[in-house]
Amino acid sequence: MKILSIQSWVSHGHAGNAAAVFPLQRLGAEVVAVHTVLFSNHTGYGAWRGAVVDPSLVREVVAGVEERGSLADTDALLTGYLGDAAIGEAVLEAHARLTRANPRALWCCDPVIGDVGRGVFVRPGIPEFFRDRCVPAADILTPNHFELDWLTGGETRTLTALCRAARGLLARGPKRILVTSLAVEDTPAEAIDVVALDAAEAYRVRIPRLPIVGRGTGDVIAALFLAHTLAGLPVAEGLARAVSSLHGVLAATVAAGREEMALVAAQAELVAPSRLFTPERLA
């Protein structure tokens, strides 16, 4: 596997490329990383230093990668936090370059918009860019529950409503959707649900809620789900393995009393999760 990953970079902790690149490499993928921001830490801390990368620099880096002939054998594009809507245009151009070089390449788009409790936390124009420009072009979409609701313009409180909304997004272009951080009416307070679906079937995995703030977890699970998709796993198995690996990393993080994910210390979980959760097929 070879993946072009265009997303944020943080020096402290794990988010964006700093969360996605290592898990992909641990699963045997070669990663070409292009950064959209250079921040000291995740914005969830409330304070950070650094800057958003100029869109022209993102274009230049991707163009240089293309000139080396690297895109022809690249299997997928992975994108996440943009930093600015103008960078979104550079991402679309990168996607166009990739599909010209390899028409079979997939695009996994993590539409980072916001979260429950925080609301929308990205710059103006970015949510609309994801909804109007990225959803129709992406092959895999990995929103959290809040982002799914924002993209579909509703509030999904039941599993049936959520699957209906996700299938509405599937009808617009994506082939697979992974919905993370899911809490509907039948989700116990001590649990978190994750749902994955394609045109034919849908599955849910329920995991125990851990006492940790999940900074960068969406970036990790998007990378894992993409890797398992590229490896040819069915949607149910890809969901189960991605969720189980992330849960294993977070459990190790809690056990170690750490605030940031123990990605390196618990790297064995990325390859062979110690506890494999069973996916439940949904009607």
Side-chain angles (χ1 to χ4, degrees):
M1 284 181 282
K2 186 175 180 183
I3 297 166
L4 172 64
S5 183
I6 306 178
Q7 46 187 320
S8 60
W9 177 263
V10 296
S11 295
H12 169 77
H14 299 287
N17 273 333
V21 172
F22 179 70
L24 289 172
Q25 292 171 329
R26 193 63 180 81
L27 289 173
E30 182 177 348
V31 185
V32 178
V34 179
H35 305 324
T36 58
V37 307
L38 298 173
F39 285 170
S40 57
N41 51 267
H42 190 284
T43 59
Y45 282 97
W48 66 94
R49 293 179 182 270
V52 175
V53 172
D54 190 283
S56 64
L57 183 56
V58 175
R59 290 186 176 93
E60 281 295 299
V61 173
V62 174
V65 169
E66 182 183 36
E67 289 167 358
R68 302 286 76 76
S70 182
L71 296 184
D73 62 347
T74 295
D75 301 293
L77 169 65
L78 174 63
T79 61
Y81 186 85
L82 295 178
D84 191 277
I87 292 179
E89 297 296 336
V91 166
L92 289 180
E93 292 176 23
H95 180 241
R97 288 178 183 271
L98 176 58
T99 53
R100 282 197 300 268
N102 180 9
R104 294 171 296 181
L106 302 179
W107 179 10
C108 178
C109 175
D110 183 9
V112 180
I113 296 171
D115 206 349
V116 174
R118 294 179 65 191
V120 174
F121 55 66
V122 295
R123 291 185 178 184
I126 292 178
E128 293 79 8
F129 178 82
F130 279 124
R131 181 191 61 202
D132 301 334
R133 307 287 300 281
C134 296
V135 169
D139 299 285
I140 302 170
L141 205 64
T142 64
N144 61 33
H145 193 175
F146 175 88
E147 290 158 349
L148 177 81
D149 283 353
W150 197 97
L151 290 170
T152 56
E155 186 175 356
T156 53
R157 297 181 178 178
T158 66
L159 193 59
T160 299
L162 180 123
C163 288
R164 185 182 303 117
R167 292 203 177 281
L169 285 182
L170 282 175
R172 295 185 57 201
K175 300 176 180 65
R176 283 186 176 183
I177 292 180
L178 177 76
V179 186
T180 62
S181 302
L182 172 59
V184 290
E185 288 181 351
D186 71 333
T187 307
E190 67 276 9
I192 296 176
D193 288 337
V194 183
V195 167
L197 66 165
D198 58 18
E201 51 193 0
Y203 293 88
R204 172 173 62 180
V205 169
R206 176 168 290 168
I207 57 174
R209 185 182 293 273
L210 296 172
I212 186 172
V213 176
R215 296 189 178 100
T217 54
D219 306 316
V220 172
I221 199 169
L224 293 172
F225 190 66
L226 171 60
H228 295 320
T229 297
L230 290 175
L233 297 187
V235 65
E237 188 176 352
L239 166 66
R241 290 189 65 83
V243 171
S244 299
S245 289
L246 179 57
H247 182 270
V249 169
L250 293 178
T253 305
V254 172
R258 297 176 55 167
E259 184 174 13
E260 292 284 348
M261 282 185 290
L263 272 180
V264 177
Q267 60 183 279
E269 296 288 341
L270 301 171
V271 179
S274 54
R275 178 182 179 184
L276 190 61
F277 292 90
T278 301
E280 168 199 358
R281 183 163 187 171
L282 304 176

